[in-house]
Amino acid sequence: MDYQALAELLFPDSTATREEMEARYPARSLPEGACVTRIGPSPTGFVHLGNLYNAVIAERIAHQSGGVFYLRIEDTDQKREVGGAVETLISAMSYYGVRFDEGATADGESGSYGPYRQRQRREIYHVFAKWLTAQGLAYPCFLTAEEIDAIREKQTAAKENPGIYGPYAETMRSLSIEEIRARMDAGQPWVLRYRGTMQEETIEVTDAIRGTLSMPRNCMDFVLLKSDGIPTYHFAHVVDDHLMRSTHVIRGEEWISSLPMHIELFRALGWEIPVYCHTATLMKLDNGNKRKLSKRLDPELALSYYQQEGITRDAVWELLLTLLNSNYEEWRLSNPETSYFAFPYSFQKMSISGALVDLDKLRDISKDVLSRMTAQDLYDQLLAWCDTYNPDFAALLRRYPERSVAALGVGRTAKKPRKDLETWKQACRFLSFYYDETFTVTDSMDEQCEPETRRTFFRTYLERYDHSDDSTVWFDKVKAITDELGFAVKPKDFKKNPGQYKGSIVHITNMLRIALTGHANAPDIHEVSHVLGEEIVRARLARFTQE
Ligand code: GLU
């Protein structure tokens, strides 16, 4: 067979050479040791946590080494694509502060290794497809879907590996150039297949995270170009990561099984193999069993979930770094004030078993993150979140800016600040008692004491209430009333002799909390009263002198 003639027949319009391509995308001039990394998401409209997870690693590896981190849009699967998906992806990444040095942007691209959208790289792939054909390493395959199904059935019955290889590839491999031309003239669709070699060889690949991977060599005649001339992931990955000069390929472990195909292609094309880094799949605990996070079952797989819940980007980053490097938590404890961007990320500390996304842990991280912020920062970020997700609450925050900042500062001056806030969504619920517009009493006072004593308590409290009392004077007054009404000032006295008292000071302060905030479990009464202001305090308490 004249492979050169076959290459011309299949790719008449492809005129550029391999050498021209190499010259157009030369080796990058970067300092020794600088890494070039990328993420290659597919624009399906669903940006998942895994996209950010791999982006965090790739970004760290590139920027820690003084290298380049870029965004490539892997849009070869038109069926899965939805409109606006690239914009959604780019805006999600920018929301999380992922900084690309080059690649696709919302309105185009930047960088000299583009195009960075795979569908715009068709001509580039064809240069190498043509070259492989001319070497006798690729051939057109006209098998129809039905014929491939029939082959698979035969293979299943004979308990053989499914796929087009060896004997199953023979009919198509041995078509003559005349037969190929005739089929093409008749308009029969074809795909371009790689010509696999049936060698019982094992290949070894060193994965930066997993160490040496030993696997059987590829023997499949896998598809390089689909019938529309668009490459498969396998072919596009090899061509792009070579021409864009990636030094490290960071991607999910689901790609390990296709690694032999990629190695085969790199070797066939005579290119240096990048360092592979296969990251652990995101998992969750479900009734005690670890399982893969599922798009259908687990809303937390979508990055939009964290935005909708109002979990800060810092908390999400911290969760991912906790999952990614086993020493992150230790580092955070010894560097509480430092930005996570300063954390020295390393491959050696990466886990290879599934990474467990634990929402309870995320909530704890989120509480810590929020407890480290100033009241003013909390206000600004909460307001920004509410503008999108809770406009009614945003209006309240704007109407009462001073009260809101003061409310966000409650309990934060102590050595160990309170960790009342978990997420922006929860913060709206938590703060709602500070505004008459959203205040409701949800806890009942019935458990605290009987109604007559309750009315007496609130009347006395209001009579003696002086808004300018400091917290010590204020608390002395509360203790005095507690005693006068026959309640134990020390809770342990009540515990010892419950028969002697109507209750303890805990019942008294619970009533105050419920009256002022709606809940028995609330921050410091004196502090809250000062955020609310005298007028609101008196109005809220007055109601219970009657009820
Ligand atoms: N487009 C692939 C994906 O969405 C990217 C894999 C890679 O990074 O090579 O999983």
Side-chain angles (χ1 to χ4, degrees), residues 38-42 72 74 233 237 249-251 254-255:
R38 85 298 189 274
I39 55 165
S42 302
R72 181 167 72 225
E74 305 212 330
Y233 166 77
H237 148 54
V249 169
I250 292 144
R251 61 183 184 186
E254 66 275 15
W255 294 108

Side-chain angles (χ1 to χ4, degrees), residues 247-263:
T247 60
H248 290 68
V249 169
I250 292 144
R251 61 183 184 186
E253 66 177 317
E254 66 275 15
W255 294 108
I256 294 181
S257 57
S258 26
L259 192 52
M261 291 188 262
H262 308 153
I263 299 296

Side-chain angles (χ1 to χ4, degrees), residues 56-117:
V56 167
I57 311 172
E59 190 275 341
R60 295 287 69 212
I61 292 302
H63 291 157
Q64 264 176 213
S65 64
V68 175
F69 171 52
Y70 67 89
L71 172 64
R72 181 167 72 225
I73 299 296
E74 305 212 330
D75 55 359
T76 55
D77 191 352
Q78 250 162 311
K79 285 195 293 290
R80 292 172 67 212
E81 189 163 337
V82 292
V86 174
E87 290 72 16
T88 308
L89 185 107
I90 290 175
S91 78
M93 290 297 146
S94 104
Y95 171 82
Y96 281 98
V98 174
R99 296 164 295 139
F100 296 105
D101 304 301
E102 65 184 56
T105 59
D107 51 358
E109 59 180 40
S110 77
S112 38
Y113 287 81
Y116 296 89
R117 285 171 171 77

